[in-house]
Every structure is written in structure tokens, then in C-alpha cells.
């Protein structure tokens, strides 16, 4: 069947699309190894020069099914016509699909026509492609296969090897199933049994590791109240409605001024801090003696690093707390416009409100909330596994704010929530997630949601979180061990230790 190029191409597209079903809201994590197996069934017989197109088809299947929620941002909120929105979305998917295409091209160059080499190199090539996609041109660290295991059997390994390590195991499992079948056909039953046993080890060990606490969790709770204002995206930056939005959040907070930690979402105060003095004063006057309010707010001021006045997408603490954090990982076109001098004014999408932010400095300190060290992350930043793990060191608690209203009722916000859960699991820390229209949630140190507000509701989330101390193995080493393993496999094959056949 796989000698038929049309059947093979269809299989690769379907294999990519199946990966989307492993993530929220579907949670069919077991389709990860199935997808890897289908990819191998289609790719192993292919000439090396065709592997680039094979990877491209996998990418089109994955991102065409799992990332087209960007269309909503472009069309509904970007004041862009439907034909242009479709074209830009297709271009977005095609560019992302180049990453597995390039990875598979490299796979063919290294493995040549050897089926054994291709099987050994497959998981290494896969995660190196993922890593490159999460780094190049600010990166798109979304739809990593390992993320599906917030609710899967490999979850216990996340604090040890991180999401890239989980992805490696999933890809390796698909390769192992292929290899076991091939060994049985060759009647090498003993070898097939050994491969099966080695493959099962992490799947059997991970549930036991899930009961291990890698960090020390305090027994003293911190009370939390997170406001989900459900402000319509179309009026978010309308000057006529700016005051009304602040009134909404103040009204929602009225019964909760004495809660330990109060959270408002990204840009809940939709005016820069230098113009929001009266609002900030009002908040600090009403906060309880031991209460801290943390809110998203644009920041405008002079920056020595930038050599002038700049805007930042920021988050600040007030009341019995202090500190301000400027977002470091900006979203292209949403928060800054590449080639701004050329693209500004061409279409509405290149002129979105508040799309002239400046990236914040590295190595920013946690916010202080009544002695609790809270490391904040704004929206897209929570998707970067190594970035978050590095910044979570010496923090007691994680916090992320977002405005997922840009993505409507698509799967995007639910994928975003699952990504935040994986970050809490990797770092062994509680995470508070505050959003404008959902999903606002409290996530424990095992990546499980302890409280949440449904999407598209104006409501207040109340609950408790607990401080954590210490570091998980993943926080110490990040993704370097699994990336090093991938490079070792490449060198191992490159040095012709594995036969060509």
C-alpha cells in the first residue's frame, strides 16, 4: 500500500492531523505513538530525497488541523478580509510545516536508505525539529507531542526530562513498534522481545514516578481570587470603553480585597501605568493589610537598554507586594510587527492595537506578594519550556496571565491551558492562570486543575495555592540531556556503527 505515492501522502497528512487529537480538548494521548508509526510506515520505503516532502505533509496535517485558530485573530479581530485571512493562515501553516520538512530532509541525509538507521534516528530528528521550531525567529513552541501527557501515563517523567524528553519517548515508541514488527517478520523473536521490554520500561516506570514529589510543598495555603472579566475583544482597546473595563474589575474585586493574592488578567488595566495613577491609588487604598493585587498593565517609560521611551506588555504587583515584570517573548504581529516600516498600513492585521511593544530584559526578578516569590509569565511565554524552567528557579509560585479572546471559541485557548499545566508539572510548582475570557484556573504541582472558570463567563475564581521550594531535575538540566542524546545518536549513526542495510 505504501508504495502508492497518493496513499503514502494521505497517510502522512492523516498522521500529522492525528497528533492534534492528542491535545486538549480531545486528550487521545495514545494517538501519539500511532502517528509516529504511520509516519514510519510511509517514510521508511521512500528515497532519501523525498523525505523533505514527507515531513512537509506531516507538518501540513499537524498545523493545518491544530494551529489554524490563528485565522480568528486575523479575520475577526484583525480587520482583514476573508480571502486575505485565509491566505495568511495558509502561509502561517506552510511556514510551520517547513520545520518537519527540514528535519526529515536532514533525516534522509544522515540515514540514506538504511531502514535501521532511519528507525534509530527518527526520535532524535523529531525533537531537534521541535527544538528548532521553538527557537528560530522567536519560535512557535506549540503542539509538542509530549504536552499530551499532562493526562497520559508518561506524566511522571515530565519533571525529570521535560516535554522534549516525553516527545522523544513517544517517537521512539512508534519506531520500536515498527522495529518489533520487522524483527518478527525476520523471525528474530528474542530480539523483538528485548526491544519490546526496553520500550515498555518508561511507560511502566512513569506512573510510579508521578507519586514522587520533587519539590517541597508548603502546608500553609495562600488564598487566591482571580477575576475573569470576559471583556469582548472588539471593545478591549476602544477608548470609549476603557473606563468601563476598569469599573468591571473593581466591582468584581469588591468582596475579595482581603484575599492573600488577587489576580487580574493580561492588560486588565488597558492604559499605561503612567496614566493609571488614580486607579493604582484606589486599589492600594482598598487592599487588605496582607493582600497583594497583581494585574496586567501596559508600561511606558524611559529604557536605558532601548535608549529611549518604550512600551512594554507588563504585569505589576501592588498593595502588600511589589515588582513589575516586562514580557520577554513577544508575539509577532500581535505585539510587534517585523519589518514594521514595510508592513504597517498594508492590511488591518498589521495595525493591531498595542502592537508596538518592546521586549523586556532577561533575568528579571520574581514579584513579591507578601513574602511569596511569584514568577510571572505573560500569555505566549508559558509555551517555552526551557525559558520557564530557567526563570522558575528561586520562585515559590508560578503565575501566568493571558487574553485568549484573540482566538474565540477555537481549540487554541484549551491547548494554551494544557501547555500551562505541563509547565507546572515540569517545575513542581503551583500555577495560577488568569485570563480575560477563559480558561482561568488554579493548577497544582502535578499539573492537575484544582479549580477553574468556564470560558466566556464573567466570574471570580477562588481557591488556594501552596508555595514550593527546591528544583525538579528538569529545572536543573532543562532539555540539554535529551538534546545531547539526540546528537549522540546522530554521531553514532554518522560514524557508521550501524550498518547501511
Amino acid at each position: 500500500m505504501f508504495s502508492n505515492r497518493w496513499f503514502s501522502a494521505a497517510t502522512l497528512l492523516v498522521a500529522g492531523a492525528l497528533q492534534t487529537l492528542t491535545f486538549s480538548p480531545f486528550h487521545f494521548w495514545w494517538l501519539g505513538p500511532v502517528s509516529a508509526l504511520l509516519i514510519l510506515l510511509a517514510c521508511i520505503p521512500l528515497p532519501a530525497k523525498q523525505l523533505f516532502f514527507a515531513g512537509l505533509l506531516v507538518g501540513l496535517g499537524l498545523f493545518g488541523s491544530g494551529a489554524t485558530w490563528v485565522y480568528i485573530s486575523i479575520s475577526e479581530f484583525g480587520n482583514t478580509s476573508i480571502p486575505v485571512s485565509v491566505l495568511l493562515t495558509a502561509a502561517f501553516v506552510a511556514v510551520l510545516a517547513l520545520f518537519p520538512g527540514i528535519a526529515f530532509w536532514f533525516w534522509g541525509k544522515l540515514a540514506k536508505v538504511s531502514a535501521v538507521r532511519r528507525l534509530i534516528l527518527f526520535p532524535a530528528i523529531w525533537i531537534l525539529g521541535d527544538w528548532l521550531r521553538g527557537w528560530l525567529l522567536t519560535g512557535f513552541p506549540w503542539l509538542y507531542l509530549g504536552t499530551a501527557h499532562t493526562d497520559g501515563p508518561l506524566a511522571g517523567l515530565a519533571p525529570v526530562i521535560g516535554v522534549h524528553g516525553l516527545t522523544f519517548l513517544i517517537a521512539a515508541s512508534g519506531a520500536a513498534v515498527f522495529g518489533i514488527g520487522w524483527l518478527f517478520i525476520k523471525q528474530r523473536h528474542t530480539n523483538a522481545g528485548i526491544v519490546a521490554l526496553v520500550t515498555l520500561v518508561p511507560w511502566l516506570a512513569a506512573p510510579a514516578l508521578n507519586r514522587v514529589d520533587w519539590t517541597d510543598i508548603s502546608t500553609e495555603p495562600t488564598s487566591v481570587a482571580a477575576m475573569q472579566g470576559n471583556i469582548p475583544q472588539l471593545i478591549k482597546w476602544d477608548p470609549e470603553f476603557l473606563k468601563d473595563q476598569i469599573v468591571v474589575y473593581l466591582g468584581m474585586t469588591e468582596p475579595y480585597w482581603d484575599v492573600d493574592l488577587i489576580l487580574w488578567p493580561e492588560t486588565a488595566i488597558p492604559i499605561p501605568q503612567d496614566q493609571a495613577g488614580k486607579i493604582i491609588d484606589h486599589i492600594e487604598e482598598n487592599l487588605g493589610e496582607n493582600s497583594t493585587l497583581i494585574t496586567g498593565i501596559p508600561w511606558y517609560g524611559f529604557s536605558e537598554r532601548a535608549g529611549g521611551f518604550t512600551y512594554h506588555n507588563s504585569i505589576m504587583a501592588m498593595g502588600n507586594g511589589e515588582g513589575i515584570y516586562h514580557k520577554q517573548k513577544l508575539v509577532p504581529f500581535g505585539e510587534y510587527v517585523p519589518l514594521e516600516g514595510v508592513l504597517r498600513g498594508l492590511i488591518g492585521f498589521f495595525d493591531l492595537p498595542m502592537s508596538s511593544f518592546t521586549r523586556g530584559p532577561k533575568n528579571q526578578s520574581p514579584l513579591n506578594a507578601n513574602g511569596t516569590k511569584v514568577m510571572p509569565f505573560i500569555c505566549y511565554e508559558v509555551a517555552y519550556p526551557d525559558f520557564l524552567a530557567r526563570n522558575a528557579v528561586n520562585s515559590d509560585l508560578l503565575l501566568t496571565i493571558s487574553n485568549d479572546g484573540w482566538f474565540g471559541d477555537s481549540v487554541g485557548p484549551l491547548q494554551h491551558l494544557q501547555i500551562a499545566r505541563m509547565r507546572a508539572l515540569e517545575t513542581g510548582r503551583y500555577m495560577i492562570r488568569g485570563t480575560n475570557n477563559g480558561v482561568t484556573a488554579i493548577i497544582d504541582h502535578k499539573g492537575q486543575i484544582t479549580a477553574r472558570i468556564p470560558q466566556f463567563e464573567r466570574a471570580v475564581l477562588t481557591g488556594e495555592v501552596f508555595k514550593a521550594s527546591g528544583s525538579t531535575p528538569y529545572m536543573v538540566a532543562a532539555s540539554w540531556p535529551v538534546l545531547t542524546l539526540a546528537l549522540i545518536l546522530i554521531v553514532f549513526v554518522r560514524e557508521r556503527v550501524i550498518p547501511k542495510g
Side-chain angles (χ1 to χ4, degrees):
M1 290 187 297
F2 291 99
S3 63
N4 183 298
R5 64 177 181 175
W6 296 110
F7 182 83
S8 180
T11 299
L12 291 167
L13 283 169
V14 169
L18 286 179
Q19 293 182 25
T20 295
L21 296 179
T22 68
F23 306 112
S24 185
F26 311 105
H27 299 291
F28 299 135
W29 57 264
W30 50 271
L31 286 175
V34 172
S35 171
L37 177 60
L38 288 175
I39 292 169
L40 288 166
L41 286 169
C43 287
I44 292 295
L46 290 177
K49 63 182 180 180
Q50 293 183 19
L51 286 180
F52 169 79
F53 298 100
L56 192 68
L57 288 171
V58 172
L60 291 174
L62 171 59
F63 301 113
S65 61
T68 47
W69 35 258
V70 73
Y71 171 83
I72 297 174
S73 302
I74 298 171
S75 177
E76 293 187 20
F77 305 120
N79 301 315
T80 304
S81 67
I82 292 177
V84 175
S85 298
V86 170
L87 182 63
L88 289 175
T89 302
F92 174 70
V93 169
V95 169
L96 291 176
L98 287 174
F99 286 97
I102 293 169
F104 278 37
W105 172 84
F106 190 50
W107 187 30
K109 285 289 185 181
L110 288 171
K112 307 297 183 183
V113 297
S114 168
V116 176
R117 290 185 176 191
R118 288 189 182 185
L119 287 176
I120 293 174
L121 283 178
F122 179 68
I125 291 299
W126 189 272
I127 65 158
L128 289 175
D130 276 358
W131 178 83
L132 181 65
R133 173 164 58 87
W135 169 77
L136 191 64
L137 300 176
T138 72
F140 185 74
W142 212 272
L143 302 178
Y144 291 152
L145 266 178
T147 304
H149 281 263
T150 50
D151 300 294
L154 294 178
L157 284 167
V160 181
I161 58 178
V163 69
H164 288 310
L166 299 186
T167 299
F168 184 96
L169 289 176
I170 295 165
S173 297
V177 172
F178 186 105
I180 291 167
W182 182 79
L183 288 170
F184 265 107
I185 291 172
K186 296 290 186 179
Q187 296 187 350
R188 300 177 183 176
H189 299 152
T190 301
N191 291 343
I194 293 172
V195 173
L197 181 62
V198 172
T199 303
L200 284 173
V201 168
W203 293 86
L204 296 175
L209 287 174
N210 202 36
R211 294 191 288 271
V212 176
D213 286 327
W214 299 98
T215 54
D216 295 322
I217 305 300
S218 170
T219 57
E220 183 178 348
T222 298
S223 59
V224 173
M227 284 64 196
Q228 182 171 290
N230 197 31
I231 305 297
Q233 188 61 34
L234 290 173
I235 69 168
K236 177 69 179 174
W237 300 106
D238 190 328
E240 295 184 10
F241 295 96
L242 297 183
K243 181 180 178 181
D244 294 340
Q245 295 177 51
I246 295 168
V247 169
V248 164
Y249 280 105
L250 288 173
M252 294 175 70
T253 310
E254 190 62 35
Y256 303 98
W257 289 116
D258 290 322
V259 170
D260 293 333
L261 200 159
I262 302 165
L263 180 63
W264 291 5
E266 183 179 12
T267 59
I269 299 177
I271 55 176
Q273 97 295 344
D274 64 331
Q275 301 175 25
K278 292 183 179 180
I279 301 166
I280 295 171
D281 290 344
H282 178 81
I283 290 170
E284 292 189 331
E285 288 171 2
N286 284 273
L287 280 169
E289 182 179 353
N290 296 315
S291 301
T292 302
L293 188 145
I294 298 176
T295 182
I297 183 172
W299 185 92
Y300 178 75
F302 182 80
S303 168
E304 292 185 4
R305 185 172 62 94
F309 286 88
T310 59
Y311 274 105
H312 292 286
N313 187 357
S314 304
I315 184 169
M316 68 179 297
M318 57 189 81
N320 190 17
E322 60 181 355
I324 188 162
Y325 172 83
H326 303 311
K327 187 177 182 183
Q328 299 178 57
K329 301 287 188 180
L330 300 181
V331 179
F333 303 106
E335 293 173 314
Y336 79 98
V337 178
L339 302 175
E340 184 173 7
V342 177
L343 297 178
R344 286 285 190 193
L346 290 180
I347 58 174
F349 182 62
F350 298 147
D351 295 300
L352 292 173
M354 306 305 292
S355 58
S356 296
F357 286 125
T358 299
R359 184 177 62 187
K362 296 180 180 180
N363 303 319
Q364 298 181 58
S365 300
L367 305 177
N368 174 28
N370 192 23
T372 299
K373 292 178 289 186
V374 181
M375 194 65 222
F377 302 92
I378 301 177
C379 191
Y380 194 55
E381 290 185 315
V382 80
Y384 292 84
D386 290 353
F387 169 80
L388 187 139
R390 182 175 65 251
N391 284 277
V393 175
N394 297 322
S395 69
D396 302 320
L397 181 67
L398 304 181
L399 180 150
T400 179
I401 57 172
S402 182
N403 179 19
D404 286 349
W406 288 105
F407 310 117
D409 60 354
S410 70
V411 298
L414 300 178
Q415 293 173 352
H416 202 180
L417 172 64
Q418 188 176 31
I419 290 168
R421 292 176 57 198
M422 178 54 69
R423 299 293 89 83
L425 178 59
E426 288 169 335
T427 57
R429 276 161 171 73
Y430 273 73
M431 178 179 288
I432 311 169
R433 185 171 192 263
T435 68
N436 172 44
N437 65 350
V439 178
T440 297
I442 294 175
I443 305 166
D444 70 13
H445 63 298
K446 296 294 185 180
Q448 299 303 304
I449 297 172
T450 63
R452 65 185 290 174
I453 301 175
Q455 286 181 285
F456 313 116
E457 289 186 14
R458 180 171 294 175
V460 178
L461 175 72
T462 58
E464 294 179 338
V465 296
F466 297 84
K467 294 190 291 186
S469 59
S471 296
T472 64
Y474 176 68
M475 290 173 67
V476 174
S479 296
W480 289 112
V482 69
L483 293 173
T484 301
L485 174 60
L487 293 174
I488 289 173
L489 286 174
I490 289 171
V491 172
F492 184 64
V493 170
R494 184 67 177 172
E495 292 300 318
R496 302 178 184 272
V497 177
I498 299 299
K500 294 181 179 180

